[in-house]
């Protein structure tokens, strides 16, 4: 795990009579924590720069017998050898100073704890009890403000409760790089403010709510919903992307009411993004599928579990089948799908990539990603980070925060290869190499890196033929590490679990006889029952079904519109078993629909982009739903080829025995970079907040999504005769969509569109991928 | 008038004292020529030897401050002159710049040369428009005369001088808040360390000096350290501007050696308003604990004032006679601090808000003697607990006034309100009172 840090400069000091030795540069307040001495504080936060504003942490300090004339803020003073610190526990002066500051803090703080969201988990409330006077001597008039005011659609500000510690403003400036809130006015009228025309526009705004030490910042959706002491908290893992954030899910009477960032210094530190924090209503929507459904005379009807399992098994029995897993399954569920395909259905036609994909990508994953252990800590020590096919702020926000932290701390050099210089790249002070979509490979070939460099590759680089090959070549040449960051939380786990046609669990190449023997032995099946050739990918499975070659499909959590130009013909002709949360384009055509548990309703694990296993427990105690793997185990049982496990623990245990393959990895053959398309080409990717199915019923969150616009540069705008704000229409043979133009820093002759905004679903509406030629014209 | 030592104010009575010609008629800019022929380190040494101490209030030795700037560090250095004079009672820099702006410009050139700064800034209080205009003209004239800009006097020294007009916040007189404001941010004090000498303006080594400190430099260069040290007391060398205001017959600026007493200054200024007697006074502006007539013979130098329980500060002597209600005066000051508290730290922000409310109640006769104990305790929780000295300044007048005039506070309570006639303390009442 983490390397042991060499402790060179150590400082020994005395706090309240106890000696403590800490690294040089440690602040007094944190040295005290090492002794279990808690000095009260508000503005202090270990991940923010010291500010010394609240003055709550005053202590008496002397250095080598020379005493400071007045108490000092322990959150701003680094330790020194020979320092003697007396906290409130041993110094009457410090004790009185702290009581005095606490009394001051309460002068203008309303006594509305009984109705405040923070009441019960409030640092001000708690520390007023531990470090304050029993009774306030203030008998005057408190300052009043209108309350609350929206500083964005999802964050509310109650200025009366604010103690002006500036944690929120410092977070936004230092950590997120979105300085859209700052202090305004003066004295007791000082307040957190936004510029009147620009609300608090940040993907990380929820963190300010979490670190607010009072109830001044509250989430719109959670306000007045609950009391902290009514909540049951479960450590969780975020299912929204591959960053791997540790979360806490707070549930009251089987309802998820809130999610908070967990504290994991190796991964998300104490932060998460607003999607991870505020998108969870999808598990509680009214149209959740509640019972099994069977198609009868063309219509789905409710059915009992035994009947539905029997019909499903009957539909699959003896047919050539394909399995589509989606990218959102847990490691255990993915493993169950992978085993179900091979051991029960006898096919390698399985793919977790329900999104644009390529053979080059599949080979790349098998050769360079599966089993790799590039970590966040590699970013911390990197000499250079290259971003390609990847916009970290939109596509993996914690990767963004970690890179930004290093940029801020030690001016880490970042290079972004992209057709558009985004706000996120600018915040990373990235060297921007503008390339037309499809030409990323050429730009990569020009780079020179070292073995301390990290190439961060987004999943959409697979849309640029030769792009991943150029990554592999650059890494080979330089020794640089490859970090492949998919968007969905389940993709890396599914890859490791073997939910892809060319790999068995643990990254075992399907073409490797020893690998097949290994797996067959573990599964207690005949080794020749595992097909030897690589299976089809998602698109090919759909196509084969349309041709009638595949006669049954098992589909879990797939939205066909996430792939471009999906072929629905196969869904009409084949027998389709769908495991789903909510009605979808698949369930509309499925023969059997089986409801499954959402992440809060089951235990399991996700594997982050790092390949780090992130386990979580069931957060909602009572649920009628079962995990995918349990349902698959029932069907496998009915088909007479049991999976051998029916619980998450059982699946995890079995996968654990197969997780590490010490044999040879699959080899990788380089693909050439394709020639660029003529005319105007399309660039498109998903933004963090969009029309995603896990973001339904979150109007406050949706209010902070970035506006869907068509981005072109001035050159193309001049060619088209359009100005900022004008309507343009982008079309292909497949369809068209119209958006307003926003002039941006793009390369020539490229139009960028959001991939999944309500008004701009480029895959579904245009049916083409990045780098494809599109028509663009002024007006409708 | 033997006690006066007019140097900065020597020619204020001449009609063209503020012009380049008027300044040069009396040897203006000769010190600059002399300094530019000296080694820069020798200039610093000379200022160190003179014992000149910061005239902005804290009294830190100016030469030492210059010496803190790391030389040979290949970084830009800056000189910033604090002309954001805003303390109630303090009125020395404004008349100085009105009557003799060139002395500051000359001082800036010498100081910048000494610390090897190529760009100097003067941060001036925004309200003083006339002064700003005169200073701008002086800077323009200095540029035209070749005293500023490229290759000054052919000596190979370049200096740009920028006048920055503040927006009228008292806190911007605090040197780090001033730097933030100068950089375009909200004026709030910065965490120290790093000190400005290491990371000041734009995170570069910076000297921040008061107007009067810099303006005193040309005379020191011209007449030498020995001349300067011959004035003043052992530890408080030289001359300085004392500003008398309030109930004195002839208010104004009196340039005298450090160590002069209020008794002497009152003699020079025609005494306390006729027919009245001294009740209390501030030695260095409203932030310094008040004195009474018991301190008439306290030498007004850094050490003696400090030993007597106050601070020399800006040498702004506000004189109050017996018609003044001390509580009323203190409340007005406290209202000022409440208005000017920047809001960054809790004790100053909330403490001033609270103190004003208690003082208002007391002025109206509401409360009990126990409230005085509470008032003092709140001041104790504020003094030395705030982020910068603004909070200390807010507590000082309250604590010192209760120390000397406790009975008067209580009289408000027994009287059911203020026992004084506020009109009696006004200027327009003085003719009646004197009659």
């Amino acid at each position: 795990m983490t390397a042991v840090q060499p402790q060179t400069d150590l400082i020994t000091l005395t706090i309240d009579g106890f000696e403590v030795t800490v690294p040089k540069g440690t602040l007094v307040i944190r040295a005290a924590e090492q002794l279990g001495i808690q000095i009260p504080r508000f503005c202090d936060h270990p991940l923010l720069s010291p500010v010394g504003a609240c003055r709550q942490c005053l202590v008496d300090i002397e250095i080598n017998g020379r005493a400071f004339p007045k108490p000092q803020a322990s959150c701003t003073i680094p330790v020194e050898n020979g320092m003697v610190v007396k906290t409130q526990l041993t110094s009457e002066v410090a004790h009185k100073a702290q009581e005095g500051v606490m009394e001051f803090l309460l002068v203008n703080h309303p006594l509305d704890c009984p109705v405040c969201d923070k009441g019960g988990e409030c640092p001000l409330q708690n520390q007023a009890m531990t470090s304050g006077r029993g009774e306030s001597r203030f008998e005057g008039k408190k300052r009043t403000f209108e309350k609350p005011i929206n500083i964005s659609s999802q964050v509310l500000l109650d200025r009366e409760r604010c103690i002006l510690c500036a944690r929120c403003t410092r977070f936004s400036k230092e950590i997120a790089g979105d300085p859209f809130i700052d202090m305004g006015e003066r004295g007791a009228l000082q307040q957190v403010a936004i510029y009147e025309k620009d609300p608090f526009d940040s993907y990380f705004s929820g963190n300010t709510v979490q670190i607010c030490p009072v109830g001044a910042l509250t989430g719109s959706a959670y306000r007045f919903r609950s009391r902290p002491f009514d909540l049951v908290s479960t450590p969780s893992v975020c299912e929204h992307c591959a960053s791997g954030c540790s979360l806490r899910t707070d549930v009251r009477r089987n309802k998820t009411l809130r999610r908070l960032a967990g504290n994991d210094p190796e991964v998300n530190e104490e932060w998460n993004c607003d999607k991870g924090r505020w998108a969870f209503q999808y598990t509680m929507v009214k149209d959740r599928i509640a019972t099994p459904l069977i198609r009868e005379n063309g219509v789905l009807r409710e059915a009992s579990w035994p009947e539905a399992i029997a019909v499903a098994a009957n539909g699959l029995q003896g047919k050539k089948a394909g399995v589509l897993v989606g990218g959102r399954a847990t490691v255990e569920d993915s493993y169950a799908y992978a085993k179900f395909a091979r051991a029960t259905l006898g096919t390698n036609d399985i793919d977790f990539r329900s999104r644009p994909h390529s053979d080059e990508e599949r080979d790349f994953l098998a050769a360079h990603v599966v089993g790799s252990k590039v970590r966040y800590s590699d970013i911390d020590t990197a000499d250079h980070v290259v971003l390609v096919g990847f916009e970290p702020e939109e596509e993996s926000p914690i990767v963004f925060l970690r890179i930004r932290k290093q940029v801020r701390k030690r001016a880490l050099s970042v290079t972004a290869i992209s057709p558009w210089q985004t706000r996120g790249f600018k915040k990373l002070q990235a060297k921007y190499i503008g390339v037309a979509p499809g030409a990323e490979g050429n730009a990569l070939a020009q780079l020179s890196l070292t073995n301390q460099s990290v190439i961060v590759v987004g999943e959409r680089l697979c849309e640029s033929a030769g792009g991943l090959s150029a990554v592999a070549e650059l890494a080979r040449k330089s020794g640089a590490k490859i970090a492949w960051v998919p968007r969905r939380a389940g993709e890396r786990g599914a890859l490791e679990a073997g939910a892809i046609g060319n790999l068995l669990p643990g990254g075992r190449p399907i073409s490797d006889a020893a690998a097949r023997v290994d797996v067959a032995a573990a599964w207690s099946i005949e080794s020749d029952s595992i097909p030897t050739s690589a299976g089809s990918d998602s698109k090919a499975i759909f196509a084969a079904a349309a041709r009638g070659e595949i006669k049954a499909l098992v589909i879990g959590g797939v939205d066909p519109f996430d792939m471009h130009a999906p072929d629905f013909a196969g869904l009409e002709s084949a027998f389709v078993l769908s495991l789903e949360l909510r009605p979808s384009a698949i369930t509309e055509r499925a023969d059997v629909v089986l409801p499954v548990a959402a992440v809060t309703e089951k235990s399991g694990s996700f594997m982050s982009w790092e390949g780090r296993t992130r386990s979580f427990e069931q957060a909602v105690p009572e649920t009628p739903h079962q995990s995918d793997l349990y349902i698959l185990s029932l069907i496998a049982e009915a088909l007479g080829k049991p999976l051998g496990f029916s619980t998450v623990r059982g699946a995890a245990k079995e996968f654990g025995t197969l997780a590490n393959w010490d044999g040879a990895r699959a080899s990788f053959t380089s693909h050439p970079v394709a020639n660029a398309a003529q005319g105007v080409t399309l660039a498109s990717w998903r933004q963090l907040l969009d029309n995603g199915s896990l973001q339904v019923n979150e109007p406050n969150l949706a209010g902070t999504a970035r506006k869907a616009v068509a981005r072109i540069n001035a050159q193309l705008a001049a060619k088209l005769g359009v100005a900022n704000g004008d309507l343009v229409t982008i079309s292909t043979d497949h369809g068209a969509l119209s958006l307003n133009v926003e002039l941006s820093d793009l390369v020539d002759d490229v139009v960028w569109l959001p991939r999944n905004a309500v008004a701009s679903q480029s895959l579904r509406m245009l049916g083409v991928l990045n780098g494809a030629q599109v028509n663009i014209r002024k007006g409708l | 008038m033997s006690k006066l030592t007019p140097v900065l104010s020597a020619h204020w009575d001449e009609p063209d004292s503020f012009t380049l010609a008027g300044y040069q008629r009396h040897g203006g800019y000769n010190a600059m020529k002399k300094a530019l022929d000296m080694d820069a380190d020798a200039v610093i040494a000379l200022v160190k030897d003179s014992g000149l101490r910061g005239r902005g209030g804290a009294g830190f030795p100016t030469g030492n401050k210059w010496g803190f700037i790391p030389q040979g560090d290949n970084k830009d250095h800056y000189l910033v002159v604090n002309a954001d004079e805003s303390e109630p009672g303090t009125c020395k820099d404004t008349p100085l710049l009105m009557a003799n702006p060139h002395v500051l410009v000359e001082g800036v050139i010498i100081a910048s040369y000494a610390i090897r700064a190529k760009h100097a800034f003067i941060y001036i209080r925004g309200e003083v428009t006339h002064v700003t205009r005169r200073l701008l003209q002086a800077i323009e004239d200095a540029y035209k005369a070749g005293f500023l800009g490229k290759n000054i006097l052919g000596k190979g020294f370049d200096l740009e001088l920028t006048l920055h007009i503040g927006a009228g916040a008292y806190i911007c007189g605090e040197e780090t808040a001033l730097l933030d404001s100068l950089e375009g941010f909200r004026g709030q004090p910065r965490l120290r360390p790093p000190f400005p000498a290491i990371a000041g303006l734009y995170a570069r080594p910076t000297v921040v000096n008061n107007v009067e400190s810099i303006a005193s430099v040309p005379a020191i260069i011209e007449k030498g350290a020995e001349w300067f040290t011959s004035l003043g007391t052992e530890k408080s060398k030289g001359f300085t501007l004392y500003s008398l205001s309030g109930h004195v017959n002839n208010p104004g600026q009196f340039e005298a050696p450090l160590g002069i007493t209020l008794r002497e200054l009152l003699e020079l200024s025609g005494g306390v308003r006729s027919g009245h007697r001294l009740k209390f006074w501030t030695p260095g502006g409203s932030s310094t604990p008040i004195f009474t007539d018991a301190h008439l013979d306290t030498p007004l130098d850094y050490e003696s004032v400090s030993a007597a329980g106050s601070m020399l500060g800006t040498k702004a002597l506000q004189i109050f006679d017996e018609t003044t209600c001390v509580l009323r005066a203190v409340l007005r000051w406290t209202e000022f601090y409440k208005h000017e508290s920047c809001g960054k730290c809790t004790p100053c922000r909330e403490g001033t808000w609270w103190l004003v409310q208690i003082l208002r109640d007391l002025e109206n006769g509401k409360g009990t003697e126990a409230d005085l104990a509470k008032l003092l305790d709140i001041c104790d929780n504020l003094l030395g607990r705030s982020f910068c000295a603004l909070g200390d300044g807010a507590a000082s007048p309250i604590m010192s006034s209760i120390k000397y005039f406790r009975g008067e506070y209580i009289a408000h309570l027994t009287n059911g309100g203020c026992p004084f006639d506020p009109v009696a303390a006004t200027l327009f009442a003085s003719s009646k009172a004197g009659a």
Side-chain angles (χ1 to χ4, degrees), chain A residues 325 334 337-338 342 350-353 494-501 503:
Chain A
V325 189
S334 288
Y337 279 106
R342 273 68 178 236
I350 177 169
D351 200 352
F352 65 83
R353 298 171 301 164
L495 176 70
E496 302 285 339
I500 190 163
L503 292 177

Side-chain angles (χ1 to χ4, degrees), chain A residues 153-154 278 689-690 695 697-706:
Chain A
S153 71
Q154 57 198 3
W278 281 319
L689 302 178
D690 61 8
Q695 297 170 54
N697 265 21
E698 300 287 3
N700 299 310
L701 180 65
T704 60
R706 292 181 184 163

Side-chain angles (χ1 to χ4, degrees), chain A residues 151-156 168 171-172 175-176 178 180-181 199-211 217-222 238-241 243 245-248 257-262 268 270-282 392-401 423 427 687-690 694-706:
Chain A
I151 56 174
S152 73
S153 71
Q154 57 198 3
V155 181
L156 294 165
C168 56
F171 169 85
S172 299
I175 307 294
D178 300 320
F180 295 100
I181 49 173
F200 185 21
D201 176 13
S202 175
Y203 284 159
F204 305 97
S205 66
N207 294 294
T208 64
V209 175
Q210 188 168 346
I211 61 174
L217 293 174
T218 49
S220 304
Y222 177 72
C238 188
E239 73 275 26
H240 286 284
C241 85
S243 287
C245 287
S246 157
L247 295 185
R248 187 181 111 188
L257 283 167
R258 134 178 119 161
R259 294 181 107 185
L260 299 172
N268 55 314
E270 296 182 33
W271 318 124
N272 74 340
C273 74
D274 289 353
K275 183 158 76 171
R277 182 180 302 268
W278 281 319
F280 54 81
Q281 290 296 328
Y282 74 91
E393 192 182 22
E394 301 283 7
E395 297 176 299
S396 202
I398 299 305
V399 175
F400 169 81
L401 287 190
R423 177 172 141 188
K427 284 197 279 179
Q687 293 176 297
L688 185 74
L689 302 178
D690 61 8
L694 304 192
Q695 297 170 54
V696 294
N697 265 21
E698 300 287 3
N700 299 310
L701 180 65
T704 60
R706 292 181 184 163

Side-chain angles (χ1 to χ4, degrees), chain B residues 12-55:
Chain B
W12 286 11
D13 53 351
E14 292 176 17
D16 63 347
S17 70
F18 58 91
T19 64
L20 182 59
Y23 185 58
Q24 286 192 300
R25 187 159 62 241
H26 299 288
Y29 288 105
N30 287 343
M32 170 193 71
K33 289 169 190 155
K34 192 171 166 186
L36 293 187
D37 281 333
M38 293 167 67
D39 182 58
D41 288 330
V43 176
I44 297 180
L46 179 61
V47 174
K48 266 187 199 166
D49 291 346
S50 75
L52 174 66
R53 291 171 67 173
R55 300 296 192 233

Side-chain angles (χ1 to χ4, degrees), chain A residues 38-119:
Chain A
Q38 169 93 1
I39 302 169
R41 81 286 303 266
F42 294 102
C43 66
D44 170 72
H45 190 286
L47 298 178
L48 302 175
S49 309
V51 60
C54 78
R55 319 303 290 171
Q56 186 59 58
C57 65
L58 295 172
V59 295
D60 263 343
I61 298 179
E62 61 177 70
I63 301 170
N64 297 326
R66 203 171 51 86
F68 279 91
K70 47 194 187 184
Q72 300 294 307
S74 57
C75 70
T76 63
I77 305 224
V79 295
E80 285 182 41
N81 274 319
M83 197 180 242
V84 176
V85 177
K86 289 181 176 164
T87 73
Q88 71 278 7
L89 301 177
T90 53
S91 159
E92 192 41 51
V93 173
H95 181 246
K96 179 170 188 294
Q98 291 178 9
E99 269 194 0
V101 172
M102 180 62 72
E103 191 179 31
F104 284 141
L105 279 171
L106 296 175
V107 159
N108 273 317
H109 189 81
L111 275 174
D112 63 350
C113 307
V115 297
C116 177
D117 284 345
K118 204 81 178 182

